Amino acid sequence: MRVVIAGGHGKIALLLERLLAERGDQAVGLVRNPAHVAEVRAADAEAVVCDLEATSAGAVTVLLTGADAVVFAAGAGPGSGVPRKDSVDRGASVLLADAAGQAGVRRFVQISSMGAGQPPRTGSDETWAAYIAAKTAAEDDLRGRDLDWTILRPGRLTDDPGTGLIRLAPPPVPAGAVPRADVAAVIVALLDEPGTRHQTLELVSGDSPVAAAVRDLT
Ligand SMILES: NC(=O)c1ccc[n+]([C@@H]2O[C@H](COP(=O)([O-])OP(=O)(O)OC[C@H]3O[C@@H](n4cnc5c(N)ncnc54)[C@H](OP(=O)(O)O)[C@@H]3O)[C@@H](O)[C@H]2O)c1
């Protein structure tokens, strides 16, 4: 399987690239910063420099052509302000989905966030509100497309080692944390299970093995 990952140098993306490579799949990481190419290659993935805020759907279509699946793993990140929540967390996902449609790559896994799909908590600061609005708009855009999409909303991400034990279900799932390593493992399992298409799923740590949790969704 050839899987193109937008935000290819992100923490989840690097873990996902290694998992895919270990089982013989080809991961392609789209990175914004040319200095990140070496680390993506060290994860046994192909690296392509592509700033999703400064390119076109046509150019990304070329990069996606021949892929079996696309994963949106980019994000403006904690240090960013309101405009980049819109240009990355919403805009880059919409651009990637446009390109997937044009390239004929139907399978699309989008990393969203718990909290999307509802108004931000009362008292949230404007950056959090913009983030939740951007994630919600990206999800809504994807649901309207003729693609085999799955929307994955993890809870608070940690860098703890993966446990392989999760709670994965349609919303609402009670708030919680989840290691990035387990998010990467869930994405691999979702890519393997086309029956999870057209589902919006929330993910936190739990007590179900990843494979069983994904199988139970179909
Ligand atoms: N933090 C949390 O608790 C939490 C919870 C739920 C969901 N999420 C979501 O989970 C996803 C992945 O999380 P993560 O921790 O793996 O993220 P991360 O390490 O911050 O990685 C995000 C990646 O996106 C890249 N990116 C930003 N702008 C880009 C652009 N214009 N073109 C191409 N790539 C671009 C970044 O590249 P640069 O290094 O060049 O900026 C970075 O490598 C994000 O969508 C995040 O919003 C986070």
Side-chain angles (χ1 to χ4, degrees), residues 7 9-12 32-33 36 50-53 73-75 84 88-89 111-113 131 135 154-157 180:
H9 182 259
K11 289 181 176 178
I12 292 174
R32 179 165 74 130
N33 183 344
H36 291 159
C50 174
D51 181 344
L52 291 164
E53 294 163 277
R84 292 199 66 236
V88 183
D89 291 282
I111 306 180
S112 182
S113 174
Y131 174 68
K135 288 297 198 194
R156 184 173 56 79
L157 298 174
R180 288 178 170 88

Side-chain angles (χ1 to χ4, degrees), residues 13 109 123 193 195:
V109 175
E193 184 41 83

Side-chain angles (χ1 to χ4, degrees), residues 103-127:
V105 184
R106 294 196 57 82
R107 190 75 178 109
F108 192 116
V109 175
Q110 180 191 66
I111 306 180
S112 182
S113 174
M114 280 179 84
Q118 54 196 335
R121 291 183 297 269
T122 318
S124 300
D125 69 22
E126 64 160 3
T127 309

Side-chain angles (χ1 to χ4, degrees), residues 1-8 16-17 20 26-30 46 48 60 63-73 96 105 107 109 191:
M1 181 162 51
R2 183 175 170 86
V3 182
V4 179
I5 302 163
L16 175 61
E17 287 156 8
L20 290 168
Q26 176 64 64
V28 182
L30 306 186
E46 243 175 71
V48 178
V60 180
L63 302 178
L64 299 192
T65 300
D68 300 292
V70 179
V71 176
F72 181 79
L96 192 71
V105 184
R107 190 75 178 109
V109 175
L191 290 171

